[in-house]
Structure formats: structure tokens, C-alpha cells
Amino acid sequence: MLQPVHVAHKSLADYTHLVGRDVIDEIRALAEPLKGLRVVHVSSTAFGGGVSELLYTLVPLMRDVGLECDWNVIYGQDEFFHATKQLHNALQGDPQDLSEDQWAIWHGYNEMNAEQLPGDIDICFVHDPQPAALMRLADDKARGWLWRCHIDLSSPNPATIERLLPFVRDYPHSVFHLRDYVPTGMRGQVHIVPPAIDPLTLKNMALSPDDAAFVCQQFGVDVDRPLLVQVSRFDPWKDPLGVIDAYRLAKESVPELQLALVGSMASDDPEGWEYFNATLSHADADDDVKILNNFNGVGAIEVNAFQAQADVVIQKSIREGFGLTVTEALWKGKPFIGGNAGGIPLQVRDGETGFLVDSPHSCGRRCVELLADPGLGRRLGRAGKEHARRNFLTPRYLRDYLRIFSAMADQA
Ligand code: UDP
């Protein structure tokens, strides 16, 4: 069954003084003629990863400005999520394409979900490749279709993208984080909209240093010693093993250094546990490396606390669609080091709002530099925060979608 996701109420007015009145006024003006528009978001999971993070904020705000907005999660079992995980990996460049069976499974579940999709939708907003076949299978159920791709399609497995393209190229509107991610052959109107974070969630609201320390202490962190933190799923593209290598290098110069790897296990990511275990064994029972996940009770407040407590936040991804964790760290004004990949350089200007690195070695060296010079970290952190405020907070994101909806309404 397609599952409706229940979201809390949010009010756009609460954001006014964090982002400035101009954006809020523009949103209200754009939303006025769209009141009552029936928008249905469809995604593959309500928990874990960036898409669900975005929708828990976007859906309530779309409602607050007058849209009739719902969010449904598609039905799938393990065989489907194994296939879609492979699809995700192959689209990010993994040389292994899906097997014929896996393609059939992907298509079969899309058929089941297409049947379940309610009719009479003004805009069906489909997220990512998992449910991407919906438009082809249920075209008549919505007057407008939009496909939002949240992943890095800049160098996909050629066989995989060729097989997927017939299902996505005819979406009249599609949205990507970066121009580089748009595959050749898209026939509709393509929009570039980077994502954003919600500054008013438990994860992003300011925690006092005392509270952050109190939380981290309960996970065994010695809050009087320096701490590196990476928050991300346990996934090879996020390179937690490279982070451990960088930490080891830095620890040669800063022996009291600690590392926390904080990662949630997403319900649509069956490989997560395997990689979690690989990370544990790479850490080799080092007491100063804490490896935590949501099953240890790490939720939004804890993620917030770890980011706030960190002396340096790292996101050493090798591939990264956008990297909400990067924005979260910048918004907290933290010294930040990121992999030079995907959406990270959009957020981090090397030497201005953080540092970009290409290897565990350079990551380790930058850690030592930032730990030795807190003034440098504060300067970069402050610039990073203002960059995030101007570009990567939810009201701007909502505004960009309302502009697209206006264009869609004009064309209807
Ligand atoms: N996240 C979390 N708990 C964790 C790990 C990640 O809440 O243990 C959140 C993280 O704070 C961020 C999102 O999941 O908001 C991950 O989004 P991102 O774009 O960084 O990566 P994705 O998982 O979508 O590839």
C-alpha cells in the first residue's frame, strides 16, 4: 500500500527573521494564486537520508501557504529495496548494472504503486529513481508531473542510465541539484534547485555548548578533548573508512584526538549494516572512535549535539548528491572539511567557508591545521554560516518550487 506520511504543522512566519522578510514576502505572493493546488509527493522512505529530511519540512510549509499537499511513501519489500539500492549505486557510477530480474522487480513494484496512486492530482511530485516509472504507468492520474532527482548523475553507469532514461526523460518538469547532474536526453523543462535545511528543527536549532557536551558525554565522548565528527549513512560513497584513516593521521600530531561517526540506518538501505560492520572492524576497537547509529538512540538532538560539540565536522564523501550534513555543519558555524565531490563544493569554497580535500591524507592535515588554529576555524565557520543562511535554508527552497509550480500552472 502507498503509505501517507503524517507531518507536523509548521508556520512560514516563524522563519521571517532568520532569512529576512524579502524571501517570505515573495513566497506569499507566489503562493496566493496557487491556493488549493493539490500536490502529492511520492518517495521511497519516510526515514533516513536527505529526501525524507527535506519533505518533513517542505510538506508542512506548502500546506501553510495554502497548497493541498500530501506525501506518500511507496510500497516495497526487501527485493525491491535491494534492486533500488543497486540502481542508486549504478546511477552514481557503480560498474554493476541491475540484473534483468532486478529491473523486473523495480518495474513490478512501480506498477503496484501506480495502481494505488490517487487520481485528480494537480502536481505529482516524484522523488528519485525508485518510483520514477510512475508517470509512465499512471499518466492520467495527475495533470502535472515533476521528477526530482536528488542524486549525483554526473557519471552514471551507461547501461543503467540508458535503461532508466525512457522512464524519466518525458517528465514535463524535472529538478536537479546541479547542472552537472542532468543526464543528456531529458526532453522536458529542467530546473536547478539545490536543497536546503530547516533551521527550526531539533537538529538545527542552537543547542548550548553545555547541553551539547552533556549529550555527547553520555555516548562516551571525553568533552575536554578534541573531537572530529562525521554524520552520515554507513555507505562507501560517504567514505567512513577514509575518515578513520584521516583521524589516525591527525592523531599522530594530536594524540588526545577523538572521532565520532554517527550514522542512521535507512529503511531503504539494506547494505547499511554490512558497511556498518566494515567500519567497526576498520576502527579496530580504538576506544577513541565512537561509532553510533539510531539504534543506540541517536536521533535529531543527538546529531545536533555531536555537530555542535565537534571541533571539526567532516563529510569526506567521494560522491555526494548535495550533502545536507554539510549545510547542517555550516549552519552551526563549525570548522568544516568536505570531500571535493558533488554538491559539497557548492557549499564549501575552499579556504573561505571550509576546506575541500581529495584524500584521507589531506583531510588529516587540514584537521591538524584547524585544531592548531581555532581562530581560523571560527573565521571559516562564520563565513560558512552566512553562506548557508543566504542560500540553503528552507524558505529559499520553498520559493524555488513555488516558482516552478507557477510556471506549471501557467502552462496547464
Ligand atoms: N542523518 C541523521 N542521523 C544520522 C545520519 C544522518 O539524522 O545518524 C541525517 C543527516 O543529519 C542529514 C540526512 O540524514 O540531514 C542525510 O542527508 P545527506 O544529504 O547528507 O545524505 P544522504 O543520506 O541523503 O545521501
Side-chain angles (χ1 to χ4, degrees):
M1 297 296 112
L2 269 181
Q3 285 291 333
V5 182
H6 298 285
V7 297
H9 171 78
K10 286 183 195 282
S11 163
L12 182 65
D14 292 341
Y15 296 77
T16 310
H17 295 106
L18 282 176
V19 296
R21 190 169 289 283
D22 291 353
V23 185
I24 305 292
D25 288 346
E26 188 184 350
I27 290 172
R28 299 239 183 262
L30 282 163
E32 189 54 38
L34 300 174
K35 289 225 155 97
L37 195 77
R38 183 157 153 65
V39 177
V40 174
H41 292 266
V42 183
S43 77
S44 73
T45 177
F47 180 72
V51 180
S52 47
E53 286 286 322
L54 287 163
L55 290 180
Y56 277 112
T57 292
L58 188 63
V59 171
L61 287 182
M62 284 189 169
R63 286 182 181 163
D64 186 59
V65 300
L67 275 53
E68 215 188 283
C69 184
D70 285 320
W71 170 18
N72 287 308
V73 168
I74 52 173
Y75 165 74
Q77 289 186 336
D78 280 358
E79 54 175 1
F80 175 68
F81 291 123
H82 276 288
T84 57
K85 183 69 209 244
Q86 190 54 45
L87 178 58
H88 185 272
N89 288 344
L91 289 171
Q92 294 207 122
D94 186 329
Q96 195 186 331
D97 187 16
L98 280 72
S99 65
E100 278 310 316
D101 274 358
Q102 286 180 312
W103 278 114
I105 287 166
W106 174 75
H107 197 269
Y109 278 89
N110 267 272
E111 280 173 47
M112 273 185 253
N113 286 294
E115 269 172 39
Q116 300 269 321
L117 195 67
D120 203 24
I121 300 171
D122 288 313
I123 296 177
C124 188
F125 196 137
V126 179
H127 294 266
D128 274 341
Q130 295 94 330
L134 284 183
M135 186 182 81
R136 259 191 54 173
L137 296 165
D139 193 20
D140 54 328
K141 294 199 173 175
R143 286 173 280 282
W145 288 86
L146 185 149
W147 184 55
R148 182 14 151 173
C149 180
H150 295 264
I151 59 179
D152 176 348
L153 288 185
S154 51
S155 46
N157 177 320
T160 314
I161 189 72
E162 195 181 317
R163 192 85 180 244
L164 181 70
L165 205 55
F167 294 96
V168 298
R169 69 180 166 211
D170 294 318
Y171 274 84
H173 291 264
S174 55
V175 185
F176 296 83
H177 298 337
L178 301 180
R179 182 69 55 190
D180 271 3
Y181 295 177
V182 183
T184 28
M186 295 300 289
R187 293 169 171 167
Q189 213 171 319
V190 170
H191 308 267
I192 305 300
V193 175
I197 60 161
D198 183 345
L200 297 182
T201 53
L202 293 178
K203 187 177 291 170
N204 293 316
M205 284 183 71
L207 266 188
S208 75
D210 289 341
D211 288 339
F214 186 78
V215 171
C216 292
Q217 229 161 4
Q218 292 173 65
F219 292 91
V221 171
D222 177 347
V223 295
D224 296 319
R225 285 159 53 202
L227 176 68
L228 308 176
V229 167
Q230 173 161 297
V231 175
S232 66
R233 290 181 292 107
F234 289 96
D235 179 311
W237 304 113
K238 309 281 186 187
D239 199 20
L241 306 192
V243 177
I244 293 175
D245 294 340
Y247 149 83
R248 286 201 176 117
L249 275 162
K251 201 170 168 80
E252 287 171 13
S253 313
V254 187
E256 66 277 24
L257 192 60
Q258 305 166 92
L259 167 68
L261 294 170
V262 177
S264 64
M265 317 303 287
S267 64
D268 65 345
D269 183 4
E271 281 170 14
W273 283 110
E274 223 170 276
Y275 208 69
F276 178 77
N277 290 330
T279 309
L280 272 183
S281 75
H282 199 70
D284 200 20
D286 180 340
D287 270 349
D288 285 340
V289 180
K290 313 289 174 204
I291 301 180
L292 306 167
N293 64 44
N294 47 311
F295 294 92
N296 306 119
V298 179
I301 291 276
E302 291 76 11
V303 168
N304 188 340
F306 272 95
Q307 289 168 333
Q309 177 67 24
D311 292 279
V312 179
V313 181
I314 300 175
Q315 186 59 56
K316 218 202 91 28
S317 306
I318 295 161
R319 280 291 168 86
E320 188 60 77
F322 176 71
L324 289 174
T325 52
V326 179
T327 332
E328 290 159 10
L330 296 184
W331 179 242
K332 292 177 180 89
K334 285 285 141 178
F336 179 83
I337 301 173
N340 190 8
I344 299 180
L346 184 68
Q347 305 189 63
V348 177
R349 294 201 215 101
D350 193 30
E352 276 178 49
T353 61
F355 285 124
L356 293 173
V357 295
D358 289 302
S359 66
H361 186 74
S362 52
C363 183
R365 277 208 337 259
R366 288 300 194 189
C367 287
V368 174
E369 195 179 337
L370 285 167
L371 291 168
D373 185 356
L376 169 67
R378 267 196 300 279
R379 265 197 314 283
L380 297 177
R382 231 177 269 140
K385 182 170 175 87
E386 289 317 307
H387 186 54
R389 186 195 308 281
R390 280 193 305 279
N391 298 293
F392 305 119
L393 298 184
T394 327
R396 188 276 305 154
Y397 189 59
L398 172 65
R399 180 205 61 195
D400 290 355
Y401 280 128
L402 293 178
R403 285 180 179 169
I404 296 171
F405 291 177
S406 305
M408 292 173 82
D410 288 345
Q411 286 159 8

